[in-house]
Amino acid sequence: MLKGKNVLLGISGSIAAYKSAVLCRELIKNGAKVKVVMTPDSANFVTPLTLSTLSKNPVYSEYSDAKTGAWNNHVELAKWADFFLLAPATQNTIAKMANGICDNLLLATYFSMENETFFAPAMDLDMFKHPANQQNIQKLESFGNVLIPSENGELASGLIGEGRMAEVENIIKVISTKDTSWKGKKVLITAGPTYEAIDPVRFIGNHSSGKMGYALAEKALKKGAEVCLISGPTTLSPPKGANLINVKSAAEMLTAVREHKADLYICAAAVADYTVANPANEKLKKKTESMSIELVPTVDILAEIGANKQKGEFVVGFALETNNEEENARAKMIRKNCDMIVLNSLQNKGAGFGGDTNQITVFHKDNKRTAFELKSKFAVAQDIIDTIQSKWLG
Ligand code: CTP
């Protein structure tokens, strides 16, 4: 996988930078061509001479060469690279990447990357688990960057815990076995809420944030799939590479779904079950007497997809239940002809709408179930994608 690849190795200032020299050598041994870009601080931990000797290329850390005035073109460096591997990724550099701060050549190169970025965090355990750092890591994942998880072990401080940069062999494993098994597959995901207009300024909506559907789109893209994300109104940025179709109402979502065929359908949207029978063309005026609005049922998009399912296609539904969860979720799966259904239980603290965490149980057609712990929505999305992979493609 690494043979003939152009790897841009980024190094930021952590004691783990000493491992970057070994990493550089291993990349080359595996057939890659390596150029190195360093933050100014990282030179305190490993010398540019070591890395230029190992990579057989000049090492970049300043925008221009002080002696010759030659400009180090970050855009050219980014274009050269088949991928950017930041190892070690310090808390500081991760935070800057997550927040658009561009105050050195390494960061300018990162922001110019069109191909994939992998990052291997390295820091002390308390820094690692700080919510600010965790949020920044999640933010990078939401940009499509691939996290190479840090490992548990002895840290530079002498403490033992999570935050240690992944071992070189594990980094090589992650970048060389990147799973693109969904290449050529079309995935359709519905996400977010729907808004049913009452009049030109009012609507009936719900609290869905769309986070789950967007995280699923992200993970499916990483597996190489072609992703069509049909989304109700959200404040989220779409994952890079997704074909985003914005809709408002359940009827618009249905039309968009009917226009896009797929191999895998994941219905994560919180679609309104009822819409307003006769929305007003003008803003409704306040009156003293009470009012009622006639509601009519919407088409169940998931049920329609299930009813038209072709051989080889796989359909995933979601169920949000407050009581008789398992029974209701299984009944929904059968009624809508899904291959699996993901249950969000509102009885679990930290699960459901809006927040960043979720706790799910997946029910399968073969009567089996898989229960997961409370996790970030990104980690939950990975569990769902992995479960789909095993049931759909074996
Ligand atoms: N769904 C859909 N179109 C609708 C309603 C629901 O595609 N008009 C999908 C959702 O995206 C989700 C699943 O159906 O995947 C479950 O939705 P839910 O509202 O929980 O189920 P309902 O069948 O509407 O049942 P109830 O509201 O009575 O629990």
Side-chain angles (χ1 to χ4, degrees), residues 188 190 194 196 230-232 245-261 265 267 269 271-272 297-306 308:
L188 183 147
T190 66
T194 61
E196 308 305 315
I230 300 177
S231 173
I245 297 170
N246 286 305
V247 296
K248 277 211 180 89
S249 63
E252 283 176 23
M253 188 171 275
L254 174 68
T255 305
V257 168
R258 283 179 176 164
E259 284 167 0
H260 293 86
K261 285 258 138 272
Y265 295 88
C267 289
V271 188
T298 56
V299 172
D300 191 315
I301 300 170
L302 174 61
E304 184 174 296
I305 293 170
N308 294 311

Side-chain angles (χ1 to χ4, degrees), residues 25-53:
R25 201 189 57 197
E26 286 303 308
L27 288 166
I28 289 169
K29 261 202 201 158
N30 278 277
K33 294 191 197 92
V34 180
K35 288 187 181 177
V36 178
V37 59
M38 300 174 72
T39 62
D41 206 29
S42 66
N44 293 323
F45 298 95
V46 60
T47 72
L49 180 61
T50 307
L51 290 153
S52 63
T53 309

Side-chain angles (χ1 to χ4, degrees), residues 190 250 267-273 298-303 316-321 332 335-336 341:
T190 66
C267 289
V271 188
D273 287 333
T298 56
V299 172
D300 191 315
I301 300 170
L302 174 61
V316 181
F318 275 72
L320 182 71
E321 306 292 340
K332 217 168 262 184
R335 193 170 69 240
K336 303 194 189 196
I341 198 153

